[in-house]
DNA sequence: GTGAAAGCGCTAACAG
DNA sequence: CTGTTAGCGCTTTCAC
């Protein structure tokens, strides 16, 4: 491996000068610059990032914590965040926790060990307080998960409100035996949605059926299986707020197969406005998340923070919009 | 920041001893070990990974190059690869190229700069030769893309063969006006599929319609748009091999909306056996890729390579299986 | 078993 | 404009 020292020797200057050439420092004569560059080319020199990172105490690398990439919401989120990080000169390391607490903790440890310049949290199975302990001087920012925002910055959707609005809407249309699907009900996000769901019922003084609260439903297959269990000739449920468009797609396909009219006998509403909502039959009503804006704001915010802009933790909330199609 | 030196001083031993304790070296008395551990705990010491990486010349980090995470095939692939890397103690950095050559080149440069211990290539817009130049002593392995395998190891599906088989099957069932969708026809993978498609026609001495070769069709929306353009009362096309299940789902939904009977008047076959193939109406015939096996073998292979197991480049080919449902 | 010392490749005062 | 020097935090011989 050819080092900066070799280049210095070979071109008859000092290491410092070579270093200056590399980092495009001013105060180096065009003549020596040319000379050094030539030698670097000839010897195919590439600076060793490991040494630079070590020296500068930064990795230009941001970690992102998600439950599972096969969930389209999270793969979209990672897509945008990763692309935005790239624009700002950062690489992204993706960590899937598969909802395992110890895997999550490992990532916080890596952060403490300086393996990343910042950590983006999109979902967590730990308490906000426990995460805060790992923070120290490290940058942790939450995106998607509806944390309180006492310890770190939060960017999220108005989960509670939008779920409440949609639930109210269904109730006022006469769908009164509603179901609710969650993925992992212990998370702040899912809790917020559930709260919205319940609040809407309370406002209308309608009692929701606790048997229609379904947890750990997150994939197309889960939706199909749930539908197959639920949908029969004398239907007890007349509407479902699914946790994602994929779950909703599974439910719709199951209902169609059992000849249950949507939306006449059963309303189904998804979450995320994924393109899959366009190919179900009938097309799906859903809720638009603003992941692209969220990601953009988030990465800008992190970059500012790295440049030393300090402030109390902020919480930015985006409004999810209901997109009505033909399943409600 | 508390360093190994602080711990040494505080516990009255030398740096070397502390280092030995950290890395669980033998030849250190249980007594000193205990003592040092205690001090580390009390002062909340975490080793600086940057220094370790620099010293050891390795990052425990593998880069993976993909076009775009929103494509479910690639997000699945990354899911498995990333999980397998984790099991072997590696982190994964995801790089989306969005089919941009210069972005791809940047990643090779980062590899040369020692930012990764290895690079996994799932899709490329460069020639095999050009990539090979960047290799040097670095580990590059291809997964999914159907490279020749002269310069680096390749793990891929028998794209040509399976496409030929499926095309032959449709032809022999009487579907003779077939279309073919590709994503990015310049890639080796798409070329292989097209070759299979054409070969099947030649064998049966049927001439394929060049107007039914559609390129740059990769999303659900692309499928819908293509369908809307193609499907009308007097249908000229009677079967389509789509490049992915998502495209196929778009096509099916478009056809259904135009009251075109599937599979009577039109056969559609997807690729990947993604769960979306279960919720289309009718359910989709598709081709199973073996990404889970591929990913597993691939990561094992890389780990072996890092441990110095040398051999000529290998090429491992997996057999895609046709899964017939109701769209063909 | 333990310590001293050298060094990984690079940057950044500081001095000239 | 350029060189000298010190040092980042850790591992690894090599003595003792």
């Amino acid at each position: 491996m050819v080092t900066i020292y070799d280049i210095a020797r070979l071109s008859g200057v000092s290491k410092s000068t070579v270093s200056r050439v590399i980092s495009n420092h001013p105060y180096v004569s065009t003549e020596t610059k040319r000379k050094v560059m030539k030698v670097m080319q000839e010897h195919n020199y590439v600076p060793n990032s490991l040494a630079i990172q070590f020296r500068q105490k930064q990795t230009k690398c941001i970690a992102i914590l998600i439950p599972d990439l096969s969930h389209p919401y999270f793969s979209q989120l990672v897509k945008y965040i990763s692309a935005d990080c790239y624009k700002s000169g950062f690489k992204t390391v993706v960590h899937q926790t598969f909802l395992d607490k110890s895997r999550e903790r490992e990532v916080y440890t890596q952060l403490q060990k300086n393996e990343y310049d910042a950590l983006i949290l999109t979902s967590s199975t730990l308490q906000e307080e426990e995460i805060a302990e790992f923070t120290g001087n490290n940058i942790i920012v939450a995106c998607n998960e509806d944390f309180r925002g006492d310890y770190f910055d939060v960017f999220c959707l108005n989960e509670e409100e939008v779920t409440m609005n949609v639930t109210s809407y269904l109730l006022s249309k006469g769908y009164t035996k509603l179901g609710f699907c969650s993925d992992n009900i212990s998370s702040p996000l899912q809790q917020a949605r559930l709260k919205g769901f319940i609040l809407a019922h309370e406002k209308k003084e309608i009692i929701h059926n606790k048997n229609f609260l379904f947890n750990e439903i997150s994939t197309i297959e889960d939706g199909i299986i749930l539908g197959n269990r639920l949908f029969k000739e004398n239907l007890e449920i007349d509407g479902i707020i699914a946790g994602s468009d994929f779950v909703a797609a599974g439910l719709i396909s199951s209902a169609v197969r059992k000849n249950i009219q949507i939306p006449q006998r059963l309303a189904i509403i998804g979450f995320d406005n994924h393109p899959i909502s366009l190919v179900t039959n009938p097309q799906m009503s859903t809720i638009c998340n603003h992941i692209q804006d969220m990601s953009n704001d988030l990465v800008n915010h992190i970059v500012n923070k790295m440049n030393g802009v300090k402030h109390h933790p902020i919480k930015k909330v985006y409004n999810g919009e209901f997109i009505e199609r033909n399943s409600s």
Side-chain angles (χ1 to χ4, degrees), chain A:
Chain A
M1 175 185 223
V2 33
T3 74
I4 201 173
Y5 177 71
D6 300 322
I7 301 300
R9 200 168 31 78
L10 259 24
S11 44
V13 299
S14 74
K15 284 193 303 175
S16 336
T17 304
V18 178
S19 173
R20 289 193 186 98
V21 172
I22 294 168
S23 37
N24 234 311
H25 205 81
Y27 303 134
V28 45
S29 76
T30 37
E31 173 52 17
T32 34
K33 192 167 185 171
R34 212 189 38 70
K35 193 172 59 183
V36 171
M37 299 261 268
K38 183 148 168 286
V39 176
M40 293 201 303
Q41 297 241 303
E42 284 173 2
H43 294 76
N44 231 302
Y45 169 74
V46 272
N48 183 346
S49 292
L50 256 32
I52 297 175
Q53 289 175 9
F54 172 50
R55 203 30 244 259
Q56 323 252 28
K57 296 188 196 314
Q58 57 161 341
T59 56
K60 286 289 178 185
C61 190
I62 294 177
I64 164 166
L65 201 61
I66 61 168
D68 179 343
L69 257 184
S70 61
H71 194 304
Y73 174 82
F74 290 104
S75 57
Q76 292 278 30
L77 194 56
V78 174
K79 168 187 170 167
Y80 291 119
I81 292 178
S82 173
D84 288 332
C85 284
Y86 170 82
K87 281 185 208 145
S88 299
F90 291 89
K91 300 173 288 185
T92 38
V93 170
V94 176
H95 279 283
Q96 303 178 91
T97 64
F98 301 108
L99 302 180
D100 179 313
K101 289 187 205 301
S102 70
R103 284 209 189 189
E104 188 176 340
R105 290 200 187 92
E106 279 181 58
V107 178
Y108 299 121
T109 307
Q110 293 181 341
L111 181 66
Q112 292 186 305
K113 288 182 176 175
N114 289 309
E115 298 185 23
Y116 316 114
D117 295 344
L119 172 61
I120 298 170
L121 217 62
T122 73
S123 162
S124 174
T125 54
L126 301 181
Q127 296 297 312
E128 216 161 329
E129 285 73 18
E130 182 174 358
I131 302 166
E133 283 176 30
F134 292 103
T135 313
N137 291 314
N138 297 312
I139 299 179
I140 297 187
V141 174
C143 177
N144 168 57
E145 192 70 277
D146 194 343
F147 286 115
R148 262 172 293 120
D150 297 341
Y151 304 103
F152 33 79
D153 305 303
V154 176
F155 295 74
C156 67
L157 214 67
N158 59 343
E159 305 284 354
E160 180 181 323
E161 192 182 339
V162 73
T163 311
M164 189 181 73
N165 292 345
V166 167
T167 310
S168 298
Y169 176 72
L170 286 186
L171 290 174
S172 62
K173 270 185 106 171
Y175 296 100
T176 55
K177 294 171 288 180
L178 299 181
F180 173 88
C181 300
S182 59
D183 182 336
N184 154 38
I185 194 61
S186 65
S187 83
L189 180 149
Q190 307 277 346
Q191 284 288 341
R193 288 189 187 170
L194 179 58
K195 203 167 156 195
F197 180 80
I198 293 175
L199 235 53
H201 282 82
E202 287 176 353
K203 279 199 185 168
K204 293 238 186 325
E205 298 182 344
I206 295 172
I207 293 165
H208 70 274
N209 185 338
K210 294 214 168 63
N211 294 326
F212 292 165
L213 266 27
F214 310 105
N215 192 29
E216 300 200 353
I217 310 290
S218 59
T219 64
I220 288 183
E221 291 95 327
D222 293 339
I224 295 176
I225 293 169
L226 179 63
N228 290 347
R229 177 157 74 76
L230 238 42
F231 303 150
K232 33 194 166 185
E233 210 19 68
N234 66 337
L235 202 60
E236 294 179 10
I237 200 165
D238 63 7
I240 302 181
I241 314 253
S244 73
D245 290 341
F246 271 40
V247 169
L251 289 168
I252 291 176
S253 85
S254 168
V256 166
R257 210 143 285 143
K258 305 227 172 182
N259 289 313
I260 290 171
Q261 256 86 18
I262 296 177
Q264 294 80 356
R265 293 186 58 200
L266 179 70
I268 291 182
I269 294 180
F271 243 102
D272 299 337
N273 195 26
H274 186 280
I276 200 175
S277 58
L278 300 173
V279 298
T280 55
N281 193 358
Q283 287 195 331
M284 189 192 300
S285 300
T286 183
I287 291 161
C288 175
N289 58 42
H290 290 270
I291 53 178
Q292 202 157 168
D293 295 334
M294 246 162 62
S295 158
N296 192 17
D297 294 347
L298 168 83
V299 174
N300 282 335
H301 184 75
I302 290 180
V303 172
N304 285 336
K305 261 197 139 160
M306 286 184 185
N307 296 335
V309 181
K310 295 243 172 189
H311 39 53
H312 289 289
I314 61 164
K315 177 161 179 169
K316 179 152 187 186
V317 178
Y318 299 78
N319 289 321
E321 287 133 25
F322 181 48
I323 297 172
E324 180 148 43
R325 299 208 183 89
N326 310 319
S327 70
S328 66

